[in-house]
Amino acid sequence: MTFTPGEQLSAEEVEERVDSTLENEEVVLFMKGTRMMPQCGFSQRALELIGKHRGDEFETVDVLDNLDAYREELSDHSGWETIPQTYVDGEFIGGSDILAEMEERDELGETLRTN
């Protein structure tokens, strides 16, 4: 999926993008910034952890241009208000701290492997 940086979206458009992305992507990271230029340490950490197990085989969505709308929509899906958020097969997995904990328990790789 490709989204144009800098575009302002309505709450309905953000909802549609979130729903579509969760439906169509096996692994997705909603993050601040892009894969090439993460804009916060937590997003960078999540990218590194997912990338360790998936390489480039996951989708990222930059939420910064519409942060409030994404935060609200993602919170409705996950009950989690902070960004980044990782989903596998449409199911919320966690933010960077949860990913790090899963990595320490050797669970992250298995969680990120999808059929």
Side-chain angles (χ1 to χ4, degrees), residues 72-87:
E72 184 174 331
E73 184 59 32
L74 291 169
S75 179
D76 288 347
H77 281 274
S78 66
W80 196 269
E81 294 184 5
T82 60
I83 307 291
Q85 291 191 21
T86 305
Y87 291 78

Side-chain angles (χ1 to χ4, degrees):
M1 299 188 134
T2 303
F3 302 126
T4 306
E7 67 182 316
Q8 291 298 305
L9 304 173
S10 69
E12 292 79 21
E13 289 170 317
V14 168
E15 179 181 5
E16 289 173 19
R17 286 199 175 174
V18 168
D19 290 345
S20 173
T21 302
L22 292 177
E23 184 177 316
N24 294 313
E25 301 296 334
E26 289 181 292
V27 177
V28 62
L29 174 64
F30 292 91
M31 60 180 286
K32 293 178 180 174
T34 64
R35 195 181 297 250
M36 297 299 290
M37 287 193 64
Q39 297 297 306
C40 81
F42 297 110
S43 292
Q44 173 68 39
R45 185 176 183 196
L47 269 174
E48 290 171 357
L49 288 165
I50 296 169
K52 178 178 177 182
H53 298 281
R54 297 283 302 190
D56 288 336
E57 298 295 317
F58 65 100
E59 185 66 40
T60 61
V61 177
D62 181 358
V63 303
L64 277 178
D65 290 330
N66 299 279
L67 183 59
D68 290 338
Y70 272 109
R71 190 183 312 272
E72 184 174 331
E73 184 59 32
L74 291 169
S75 179
D76 288 347
H77 281 274
S78 66
W80 196 269
E81 294 184 5
T82 60
I83 307 291
Q85 291 191 21
T86 305
Y87 291 78
V88 175
D89 288 333
E91 179 183 339
F92 176 64
I93 301 302
S96 62
D97 290 344
I98 301 297
L99 297 179
E101 290 173 13
M102 293 174 76
E103 179 70 5
E104 287 177 16
R105 294 190 307 260
D106 292 323
E107 297 172 0
L108 185 59
E110 186 62 33
T111 299
L112 294 174
R113 285 186 192 88
T114 57
N115 297 329

